[in-house]
Amino acid sequence: MNQPLQGASSGEEDRIYAKVGWRIIPFLVLCYVVSYLDRVNVGFAKLQMLKDLNLSDAVFGLGAGIFFIGYFIFEVPSNLILHRVGARVWIARIMITWGIVSAAMMFTNSEATFYVLRFLLGAAEAGFFPGIVLYLTYWYPNARRGRMTTMFMLAIPLSGLIGGPVSGWIMSSFSSHGLAGWQWLYLLEGIPAIFVGIIVLFYLDDRIENARWLTDSEKAILIRNVKAEAQTKEEPSILAVMSMPRVWIMAFTYFGFVMGLYGVGFWLPSIIKSAGVSSTFEIGMLSAIPNLFAIIGMILVARSSDRMRERRWHLAIPAVIAALGLIWSTSAGGIVTSMVALTIANVGIITVLPLFWSQPTAILSGAAAAAGIALINSVGNLAGFFSPSLVGWLQSTTGSTTSGMYLLAASLVVGALLALSQPARLVNK
């Protein structure tokens, strides 16, 4: 057996963490791409589904958002179960069940079934994202976790980059066997989650100690670094976590950011269509552009944040830039100007999300981290309910997306101010 290395050089540690990264991050990205596609493909289905089922924009907004009610209810219990039984089994369970429910969205035939299936999809997926954020704390100290969380969350713009054109292609190319294009969309994008969930059972390792692809000396270095950081964190009781002011400030900060994320994500196809693009395939291709630039922005800002060991301003500045992009999009004339404004907004919104998670994971560990991360994510993702619902209601009421974009911009500014309110000594690690 290999003997543990004592006092490994920074170069040796970099090599080991690179090995870990190449093993787990690409696979987690794949899982999240599949997850995110199933969560937001309703925005593309809307282009045909509303007319076929005679549903209004307000009904769509409520149905798109009701996903997050199920998500909210089951989020904390799901993450605590993951912490107890391990990521491998629980993430596999989540992916398989949400794949089944996502594919079942093809059977939507009324307002009621739309609401019920969206709620069940949220309940099935609850715990996936905070579970992965928690899982990364088992492998990386906070100084390295910012970049790794960013690499994992590249799945959000990647899913838009891939999913937009694919969703548009499916809906414009498939319409047979008595199924509309939007029904084929749900079916074909739900099946991959089931297969990837099965692969999780065989590929993912719960902890460093279980990784047969690491040597004993490599495991010793990784475990030492994780344990050293754990000694600097708080591990209060679960009830105490639920009443910590800092945790609630983070939850409302995330709420402000997620308002912008889902407001743009759910309505981007419709916004592009309103700018004069009628082809479903062209809408899908154009929706990929903001996500391509978001990938570049995420990587650059994450590197800057990790290098400077600074989190708060790296959150606040992109959030404010995103708000300005949304406001500009309301007065932009023509498809080119609209796309530039929406791209700026999308880059700012998506850039802040992975960096945000450096804050709670910097101060909590163990079961407290499991509960705190899940609480923050569940409260924050309630914005996924309010954002499309409010934007849909405002659009139905005013006949325009302008007031909705102003609402999203305001929420991003509030999130930026709350991020700056966190003590620098706690989160800039």
Side-chain angles (χ1 to χ4, degrees):
M1 294 178 65
N2 296 314
Q3 296 298 315
L5 297 175
Q6 300 296 325
S9 66
S10 60
E12 175 67 7
E13 289 199 2
D14 288 343
R15 181 193 67 78
I16 296 170
Y17 279 110
K19 182 178 180 179
V20 173
W22 281 110
R23 168 73 185 194
I24 67 175
I25 297 299
F27 183 69
L28 295 179
V29 167
L30 172 64
C31 292
Y32 198 24
V33 166
V34 172
S35 159
Y36 203 76
L37 280 176
D38 286 348
R39 184 185 298 188
V40 302
N41 60 10
V42 68
F44 278 92
K46 170 184 180 288
L47 299 175
Q48 295 177 354
M49 187 174 69
L50 265 62
K51 182 179 180 181
D52 288 353
L53 301 180
N54 195 29
L55 302 178
S56 68
D57 283 327
V59 168
F60 166 77
L62 179 59
I66 208 168
F67 167 97
F68 296 95
I69 301 300
Y71 198 84
F72 173 79
I73 293 171
F74 296 102
E75 185 88 322
V76 173
S78 179
N79 223 33
L80 291 173
I81 292 172
L82 182 146
H83 184 64
R84 180 178 293 272
V85 306
R88 182 177 61 88
V89 170
W90 198 244
I91 289 175
R93 192 286 303 163
I94 291 172
M95 295 194 69
I96 292 169
T97 54
W98 100 50
I100 293 171
V101 177
S102 182
M105 286 288 297
M106 66 183 289
F107 298 113
T108 302
N109 58 14
S110 66
E111 181 179 330
T113 56
F114 183 47
Y115 292 158
V116 169
L117 287 170
R118 286 292 293 178
F119 176 85
L120 291 176
L121 185 62
E125 192 181 329
F128 174 76
F129 176 77
I132 297 298
V133 172
L134 178 66
Y135 182 67
L136 292 176
T137 69
Y138 300 159
W139 295 84
Y140 294 97
N142 196 57
R144 295 180 182 268
R145 202 162 50 245
R147 257 177 296 179
M148 291 303 101
T149 305
T150 294
M151 296 305 294
F152 163 59
M153 293 186 70
L154 282 175
I156 296 178
L158 274 175
S159 66
L161 186 65
I162 299 167
V166 170
S167 296
W169 174 73
I170 290 173
M171 290 179 60
S172 61
S173 302
F174 287 77
S175 182
S176 60
H177 297 84
L179 300 178
W182 61 269
Q183 291 175 302
W184 279 108
L185 175 68
Y186 285 131
L187 176 62
L188 295 179
E189 292 190 352
I191 290 173
I194 300 171
F195 287 108
V196 175
I198 294 171
I199 295 171
V200 167
L201 287 169
F202 301 95
Y203 187 85
L204 212 59
D205 298 293
D206 287 328
R207 298 271 185 167
I208 296 169
E209 295 88 340
N210 307 124
R212 289 177 292 180
W213 43 274
L214 290 172
T215 67
D216 290 343
S217 58
E218 290 169 339
K219 290 179 184 178
I221 291 170
L222 296 174
I223 292 170
R224 180 196 64 197
N225 290 346
V226 170
K227 286 184 176 179
E229 183 184 69
Q231 294 175 358
T232 68
K233 296 181 180 180
E234 302 176 45
E235 192 171 354
S237 69
I238 294 173
L239 288 177
V241 169
M242 301 295 181
S243 61
M244 289 176 66
R246 288 200 304 273
V247 170
W248 283 99
I249 291 173
M250 290 180 187
F252 289 120
T253 302
Y254 196 52
F255 182 94
F257 295 156
V258 175
M259 280 285 288
L261 174 68
Y262 287 115
V264 173
F266 283 133
W267 291 94
L268 181 59
S270 298
I271 293 170
I272 294 174
K273 185 176 182 179
S274 67
V277 181
S278 57
S279 165
T280 304
F281 180 71
E282 290 178 2
I283 291 172
M285 293 298 292
L286 286 171
S287 71
I289 295 174
N291 294 293
L292 175 62
F293 283 92
I295 292 172
I296 300 170
M298 287 177 77
I299 294 172
L300 294 178
V301 175
R303 286 179 177 175
S304 172
S305 179
D306 275 0
R307 184 177 64 253
M308 298 175 64
R309 297 288 182 94
E310 200 288 322
R311 306 298 186 195
R312 299 183 310 156
W313 286 102
H314 281 81
L315 290 172
I317 293 174
V320 172
I321 290 174
L324 295 174
L326 288 176
I327 293 171
W328 182 22
S329 73
T330 64
S331 58
I335 186 61
V336 174
T337 309
S338 296
M339 288 303 302
V340 171
L342 289 171
T343 297
I344 291 172
N346 197 57
V347 170
I349 292 167
I350 292 180
T351 293
V352 304
L353 299 179
L355 292 181
F356 167 82
W357 288 107
S358 298
Q359 293 193 341
T361 56
I363 63 174
L364 297 171
S365 66
I373 291 169
L375 175 65
I376 291 167
N377 192 61
S378 62
V379 172
N381 271 284
L382 279 177
F385 170 75
F386 288 106
S387 182
S389 300
L390 290 172
V391 173
W393 177 77
L394 288 169
Q395 179 162 335
S396 295
T397 302
T398 65
S400 169
T401 59
T402 298
S403 54
M405 294 303 104
Y406 273 94
L407 172 66
L408 300 181
S411 71
L412 287 164
V413 172
V414 171
L417 294 175
L418 289 174
L420 291 175
S421 74
Q422 291 286 357
R425 62 183 177 82
L426 292 177
V427 297
N428 291 345
K429 294 184 178 182

